[in-house]
Amino acid sequence: MDSAPSAVVPLGSHARPTRGSILGDDELAVIEELLRSGSPLSGGVWRERFEEAFRAHLGVAHALSVTSGTTALRLAIHLLDLRPGDEVIATPQTYLATVQPLLDYGVRVRFCDVEPDSLNIDASRIEELITDRTRAVLMVHYGGRAADMPRIMALAERYGLTVVEDAAHAIGGSLNGRPLGSFGHFGIFSFHSSKNITTLGEGGMLVVRDDEAAARATALRDNSVDAVYVPSRHTFAETHRPPAGAMFPAGSYTADCLMLRGTGINGTLAEPAAAVGYVQLGKLPALQARRRELARQYTERLARIPGVHVPPVPEGVDHPYHLYTAFVDPELIDRDALLNAMDAAGSQLSLRYFPLHLMPEWRAHGHREGECPVAERRWFREMINIPCQPGIDDDQAAQLMDQLERTISRSWRRGRTPLGRTA
């Protein structure tokens, strides 16, 4: 699992790389090995190897591979055993899948504003949102930068809350030497094609701290029901021994269902995807090194551009740079004009993510503008995300920075402050 990644995939000067990882001969070889072996293509040895390697990587007891990060989130939220009227504290600055499953539970979501530099949930503001109905905190390591997990976990312990740690951006990141995704009661990882490693485009991992919760999650993933069973009080067949070759769920002949908590899904990660995930996990150190080198180059160049700010990474935070985020001074730079000018020049920047409390489905539940002012200001006026995928070579990175600097400096040469702001 220590092999280096394949050669960087060449990109045209105006290409917009969207793949978060690099796939090459190693991945092709393991898929060919699997297909030629005649082994099962679902629920076989590669899933076991991938999960075992992932547990070792994080130092955790339970890691269940699933079909997507969204599947992992849905399983974790199901295991919260929420009831109508319960409350959940969540970050607004994340992909919609982090909180979307809560719409199915009739719970009240209290969106907690974010820190201005990290865009992570502001741990100093969580406590003021806690009530006697609060059951859980849903947070994310935005872009891969570690949230304040010691403070969040201390609050969870004090108030009896469950923490769902969305680490979809954070594989390869750590806080004070501890891997991100291993702090919360549940950890969520995504292996979508845009993420730092991939399992053929889709895939995820659910990390579970508690043995009982892990057993429930496994049953749900494997298309069983989540239920409480007791020994059967009667028999309904002449024998408890099934006929040879019969397929049936465990306990069919010997148990009664005392309480049904939910129905299962087929969330099994296919063997080809698991095999690729195993190879990709071995390449993670080299892939991360490339992302960090790009981040270093960007930070060095952006320090020369007036009106652009890159927050420093705090001591003890090992940033995996799923996203590279900078901020512009809105008094100097019209952010939207900058994005449009860069796009017209063939160097598209991006914005991730729209503040979730302002999505239509959450506005329908009473959420409004002004609820999370830091997240709103950053997203609507100041934030830019700069491509940081390992497939970007040094020349492309330099071209991107050159274009950004030219785009801003042109406005200065016209006797105006950058991008249309009048002096």
Side-chain angles (χ1 to χ4, degrees):
M1 295 217 346
D2 295 323
S3 57
S6 305
V8 173
V9 178
L11 298 170
S13 60
H14 294 290
R16 300 172 179 176
T18 57
R19 183 177 294 170
S21 185
I22 298 172
L23 299 171
D25 292 342
D26 296 337
E27 288 79 7
L28 290 172
V30 76
I31 293 173
E32 182 179 9
E33 176 187 338
L34 169 63
L35 296 180
R36 291 186 182 281
S37 71
S39 299
L41 294 180
S42 178
V45 65
W46 283 108
R47 184 180 77 175
E48 295 173 2
R49 289 175 182 172
F50 185 32
E51 292 177 351
E52 180 180 4
F54 208 87
R55 289 193 296 270
H57 171 73
L58 288 185
V60 298
H62 305 285
L64 288 74
S65 60
V66 291
T67 50
S68 68
T70 300
T71 299
L73 280 161
R74 287 191 171 275
L75 289 174
I77 289 173
H78 170 83
L79 294 169
L80 296 176
D81 293 324
L82 297 171
R83 298 290 181 268
D86 287 345
E87 296 183 0
V88 175
I89 297 170
T91 176
Q93 189 62 59
T94 181
Y95 182 54
L96 55 88
T98 302
V99 297
Q100 191 176 63
L102 294 171
L103 291 166
D104 295 331
Y105 287 85
V107 300
R108 180 183 182 186
V109 174
R110 290 176 172 263
F111 285 103
C112 180
D113 209 352
V114 298
E115 297 173 337
D117 277 359
S118 71
L119 302 182
N120 288 321
I121 192 169
D122 189 339
S124 69
R125 300 194 59 187
I126 291 176
E127 191 166 19
E128 65 192 54
L129 299 176
I130 296 174
T131 73
D132 59 359
R133 300 292 298 175
T134 307
R135 298 292 177 262
V137 176
L138 270 65
M139 44 72 57
V140 67
H141 302 292
Y142 178 84
R145 176 170 162 171
D148 189 351
M149 295 311 297
R151 188 167 187 174
I152 292 170
M153 297 310 297
L155 285 169
E157 183 174 358
R158 185 184 312 161
Y159 290 98
L161 309 179
T162 301
V163 175
V164 178
E165 181 185 2
D166 186 340
H169 297 175
I171 187 169
S174 65
L175 176 61
N176 298 324
R178 182 172 174 178
L180 301 181
S182 69
F183 287 86
H185 300 91
F186 299 100
I188 309 299
F189 292 87
S190 170
F191 308 129
H192 183 271
S193 59
S194 65
K195 298 302 191 294
N196 292 28
I197 66 171
T198 186
T199 50
L200 295 179
E202 294 287 356
M205 192 75 72
L206 172 63
V207 173
V208 185
R209 179 186 295 186
D210 179 74
D211 292 346
E212 181 184 356
R216 290 176 62 189
T218 301
L220 286 165
R221 176 194 65 177
D222 296 345
N223 235 349
S224 295
V225 295
D226 178 21
V228 176
Y229 295 100
V230 296
S232 179
R233 296 187 299 272
H234 62 277
T235 180
F236 54 88
E238 294 181 359
T239 176
H240 289 301
R241 187 181 301 277
M247 295 183 64
F248 63 98
S252 297
Y253 280 74
T254 59
D256 289 335
C257 181
L258 184 65
M259 180 178 68
L260 179 64
R261 293 180 290 206
T263 57
I265 59 173
N266 182 2
T268 300
L269 187 67
E271 284 290 276
V276 168
Y278 179 85
V279 173
Q280 286 269 291
L281 187 59
K283 295 180 175 182
L284 180 61
L287 293 167
Q288 291 302 101
R290 180 58 192 162
R291 285 180 176 271
R292 291 180 177 118
E293 171 58 19
L294 285 169
R296 185 197 65 77
Q297 293 179 27
Y298 291 162
T299 300
E300 185 177 282
R301 289 290 304 271
L302 292 173
R304 309 172 193 169
I305 302 178
V308 179
H309 169 63
V310 180
V313 177
E315 185 177 353
V317 173
D318 193 2
H319 198 326
Y321 288 103
H322 171 63
L323 301 176
Y324 183 94
T325 303
F327 304 101
V328 301
D329 182 345
E331 297 303 315
L332 297 177
I333 299 174
D334 184 323
R335 196 277 315 276
D336 290 353
L338 171 62
L339 295 180
N340 290 335
M342 289 292 289
D343 186 51
S347 299
Q348 187 180 52
L349 305 182
S350 60
L351 294 182
R352 295 179 181 166
Y353 297 93
F354 187 87
L356 292 185
H357 64 291
L358 299 180
M359 295 285 285
E361 58 270 25
W362 291 107
R363 285 188 280 112
H365 283 73
H367 298 280
R368 293 291 182 266
E369 188 176 2
E371 185 174 343
C372 297
V374 176
E376 294 167 23
R377 184 185 81 244
R378 286 304 207 190
W379 196 91
F380 286 108
R381 301 184 65 196
E382 300 171 359
M383 179 200 309
I384 56 173
N385 297 128
I386 299 174
C388 199
Q389 296 92 332
I392 299 173
D393 63 30
D394 287 350
D395 287 342
Q396 292 166 331
Q399 290 170 20
L400 179 59
M401 290 295 102
D402 289 345
Q403 184 62 56
L404 184 63
E405 194 166 5
R406 284 195 301 269
T407 302
I408 294 174
S409 65
R410 284 194 192 106
S411 296
W412 284 101
R413 286 197 296 270
R414 288 197 298 269
R416 301 165 65 87
T417 57
L419 295 170
R421 298 289 189 193
T422 56

